[in-house]
Amino acid sequence: MTVTLGEIVARSRRRLTESGIADAAREARLLIGGLLEIDATAFITGEGRILSADDASRVDDAIRRRTDREPIFRILGRRPFLRLVLELSPETLEPRPDTELLVERLVPVARETVARQGRCRVLDLGTGTGAILLALADMVPGVSGIGTDIARGALETAARNADLNGVADRVTFLESDWFSRIDSRFDVIVSNPPYIAAPVIETLADEVRRFDPRRALDGGADGLDAYRSIAAGAREHLEKDGTLALEIGFDQRHSVSALMEAEGFLFEDALRDLGGNDRVLVFSAGPKR
Ligand SMILES: C[S@@+](CC[C@H](N)C(=O)[O-])C[C@H]1O[C@@H](n2cnc3c(N)ncnc32)[C@H](O)[C@@H]1O
């Protein structure tokens, strides 16, 4: 039996609503648009278009996955991040809009560094899809650097994303437990590490708990394990006038600041996300100790 675009949009929206998805109309359009490469205008002008049996079954399968709580961009296999499109894989966190804030805060830092010394070397710890390093390299031509992760699958995805986004000549990806395989200094050290306290993970939405990799979420008993490792290693890998920038959980501003300040870093700045929560902390290297 044939189905038109308009009919499959209506059917998809209904199935999403029935399964309790809040913004079913938007999600149906995003999923169908992404799968069939249909833009907003084509949704309006192409309502009567008859879908091939293959396209219709791809849409139905995607909607079924969404009713099982798989996030839209995981189903599509890629998501936008600032000016990039990033592929996702089972070993990568899906990058969040909050992390775009962190990148945007670092763009002027990187530009000033390039203006001063011709280049800016960035270390992105726990790089996942490569989102932070790749976006900085994309937005600031003098940026080069290393992205690390302990998840080999994530590093493979990050390297593919570097190729896809045209910055592969300025970045490398390295399997490393935080600083363990890093032996040089950087102008910027940045990280969005796992920061959820382990007992809290079970309470997270299905979309996060079941589909983001545990290693990308689990910050240990109090959520601060990664920050402790970063605090311990950052000084010997940061240039003397360098910047350390961290994404944090909504209630971690004081605990993470205390960890960094205990290692001699100077607090510079805190940024809030769109929900008004503390989300990004920026430190400078501070005087040599
Ligand atoms: C919250 S995710 C962030 C991913 C990416 N930077 C982003 O912002 O979308 C944290 C990342 O840290 C990595 N990770 C966890 N433990 C690590 C460790 N000991 N050393 C290096 N990376 C680690 C995870 O595999 C994951 O990719």
Side-chain angles (χ1 to χ4, degrees), residues 223-245:
L224 299 173
D225 282 2
Y227 299 107
R228 290 191 187 93
S229 301
I230 293 170
R235 175 158 294 280
E236 63 181 287
H237 295 99
L238 191 63
E239 295 288 359
K240 64 180 185 332
D241 48 4
T243 297
L244 170 64

Side-chain angles (χ1 to χ4, degrees), residues 93 95 99 124 126-128 131-132 149-151 176-178 192-194 215-216:
L93 181 96
T99 308
D124 175 14
T127 196
I132 299 171
D149 212 290
I150 40 161
S176 174
D177 182 357
W178 304 126
N192 170 22
R215 272 195 293 204

Side-chain angles (χ1 to χ4, degrees), residues 76-116:
L76 294 175
R78 60 187 187 280
R79 73 157 292 146
F81 185 81
L82 293 166
R83 307 192 311 188
L84 313 178
V85 174
L86 298 172
E87 281 195 1
L88 308 174
S89 59
E91 286 198 71
T92 59
L93 181 96
E94 181 185 334
R96 308 293 206 270
D98 292 339
T99 308
E100 295 180 341
L101 268 182
L102 171 62
V103 173
E104 282 166 343
R105 172 62 179 77
L106 286 174
V107 166
V109 173
R111 287 205 178 114
E112 280 158 29
T113 309
V114 174
R116 199 172 61 241

Side-chain angles (χ1 to χ4, degrees), residues 14-43:
R14 203 168 48 245
R15 284 175 63 195
L16 293 177
T17 305
E18 282 165 7
S19 82
I21 301 282
D23 201 353
R26 181 179 152 273
E27 294 218 3
R29 264 200 318 277
L30 263 174
L31 259 178
I32 296 170
L35 279 174
L36 305 184
E37 294 177 10
I38 295 174
D39 63 21
T41 323
F43 266 113

Side-chain angles (χ1 to χ4, degrees), residues 4-276:
T4 65
L5 178 61
E7 285 164 348
I8 210 155
V9 169
R11 174 162 99 198
S12 301
R13 202 174 50 212
R14 203 168 48 245
R15 284 175 63 195
L16 293 177
T17 305
E18 282 165 7
S19 82
I21 301 282
D23 201 353
R26 181 179 152 273
E27 294 218 3
R29 264 200 318 277
L30 263 174
L31 259 178
I32 296 170
L35 279 174
L36 305 184
E37 294 177 10
I38 295 174
D39 63 21
T41 323
F43 266 113
I44 299 163
T45 58
E47 271 202 333
R49 168 183 148 191
I50 292 174
L51 265 56
S52 70
D54 182 49
D55 281 352
S57 106
R58 285 199 301 137
V59 171
D60 283 338
D61 185 51
I63 296 296
R64 183 196 52 71
R65 287 168 67 179
R66 185 67 192 106
T67 61
D68 185 41
R69 296 300 182 267
E70 187 167 347
I72 290 183
F73 293 116
R74 281 218 183 267
I75 297 169
L76 294 175
R78 60 187 187 280
R79 73 157 292 146
F81 185 81
L82 293 166
R83 307 192 311 188
L84 313 178
V85 174
L86 298 172
E87 281 195 1
L88 308 174
S89 59
E91 286 198 71
T92 59
L93 181 96
E94 181 185 334
R96 308 293 206 270
D98 292 339
T99 308
E100 295 180 341
L101 268 182
L102 171 62
V103 173
E104 282 166 343
R105 172 62 179 77
L106 286 174
V107 166
V109 173
R111 287 205 178 114
E112 280 158 29
T113 309
V114 174
R116 199 172 61 241
Q117 60 186 38
R119 66 174 195 165
C120 176
R121 295 251 306 140
V122 175
L123 176 63
D124 175 14
L125 296 166
T127 196
T129 55
I132 299 171
L133 177 61
L134 298 179
L136 276 172
D138 170 60
M139 291 165 90
V140 186
V143 161
S144 59
I146 299 179
T148 68
D149 212 290
I150 40 161
R152 197 167 297 168
L155 294 164
E156 285 163 11
T157 304
R160 212 165 40 249
N161 283 328
D163 270 333
L164 289 172
N165 289 284
V167 294
D169 55 334
R170 286 185 283 130
V171 297
T172 35
F173 293 100
L174 183 68
E175 193 176 336
S176 174
D177 182 357
W178 304 126
F179 292 101
S180 65
R181 293 189 56 214
I182 300 296
D183 54 12
S184 52
R185 286 185 184 267
F186 296 82
D187 303 298
V188 171
I189 297 178
V190 59
S191 186
N192 170 22
Y195 55 65
I196 314 281
V200 175
I201 292 179
E202 293 316 309
T203 70
L204 298 175
D206 275 6
E207 278 86 344
V208 179
R209 184 177 49 81
R210 287 178 40 221
F211 294 99
D212 278 320
R214 174 109 192 180
R215 272 195 293 204
L217 302 174
D218 191 343
D222 63 357
L224 299 173
D225 282 2
Y227 299 107
R228 290 191 187 93
S229 301
I230 293 170
R235 175 158 294 280
E236 63 181 287
H237 295 99
L238 191 63
E239 295 288 359
K240 64 180 185 332
D241 48 4
T243 297
L244 170 64
L246 302 169
E247 185 168 324
I248 56 164
F250 73 96
D251 56 354
Q252 293 175 329
R253 174 175 172 165
H254 296 292
S255 40
V256 173
S257 293
L259 285 172
M260 301 303 149
E261 285 167 354
E263 293 296 330
F265 292 98
L266 297 180
F267 173 80
E268 293 277 324
D269 196 7
L271 267 65
R272 293 189 173 185
D273 61 23
L274 292 175

